Amino acid sequence: MHATRFAIGIIGAAAAATTLLAGRTVSAQPAKTVWEGVFTIEQAARGQSSYQKECASCHGAALEGDGAFAPALIAEPFTERWRDGTVGELLILVQTSMPKEQPATLGADVYADIVTYLLKMNNYPAGQTELGKDIAQSKDIRFRR
């Protein structure tokens, strides 16, 4: 009798867990991080060119910000801001709000390149594969290891 109740309890718990996980994808792999080289040196070079043309007038040639209007995009201000975020979230922010006077006008590939330049300048390592311009591809790339 106790064995039967125990078995029924196990089956019930398994059914409940299955119901809770329904519709969710469970991945055995840990989330990717920026420390794994999610952009190439060539892409960051393109990003540098685009940054200087489109962003430097507000954020500074050295990404230092202006101290009031445009935040610094380098060192502690950047790393603290994005510590718990994802590259996808950064891409969304940059695409939807920059350039300040004409947001969402540069093209997804240009925004991805600019983000890779920010990553390079904040000492995240380059890799062998370019960061994709599709936000869905970068939504799970975390900053924190």
Side-chain angles (χ1 to χ4, degrees):
M1 183 76 160
H2 292 292
T4 303
R5 285 186 182 167
F6 179 74
I8 290 171
I10 294 292
I11 291 169
T18 301
T19 301
L20 286 173
L21 294 175
R24 296 185 192 176
T25 302
V26 178
S27 174
Q29 295 180 345
K32 192 170 190 174
T33 73
V34 292
W35 296 101
E36 297 172 49
V38 297
F39 65 94
T40 65
I41 291 294
E42 295 80 15
Q43 186 178 24
R46 290 193 313 265
Q48 179 179 10
S49 176
S50 295
Y51 175 89
Q52 294 303 328
K53 180 180 175 191
E54 304 292 343
C55 314
S57 62
C58 292
H59 290 279
L63 291 82
E64 72 278 10
D66 69 359
F69 169 72
L73 301 173
I74 195 160
E76 188 175 351
F78 182 86
T79 57
E80 278 299 308
R81 164 63 178 92
W82 293 104
R83 175 181 53 175
D84 294 322
T86 68
V87 173
E89 292 166 342
L90 174 58
L91 265 171
I92 289 169
L93 176 70
V94 173
Q95 285 182 356
T96 60
S97 63
M98 296 293 132
K100 183 72 172 160
E101 300 302 322
Q102 297 177 317
T105 58
L106 301 181
D109 55 336
V110 174
Y111 286 112
D113 291 351
I114 290 170
V115 165
T116 65
Y117 175 62
L118 300 180
L119 296 175
K120 176 184 178 283
M121 294 303 291
N122 282 283
N123 299 314
Y124 297 107
Q128 301 299 314
T129 306
E130 288 196 355
L131 179 67
K133 62 184 179 180
D134 182 2
I135 291 172
Q137 295 173 338
S138 59
K139 69 181 179 68
D140 293 326
I141 301 172
R142 305 209 63 75
F143 279 87
R144 190 183 296 238
R145 291 181 201 212

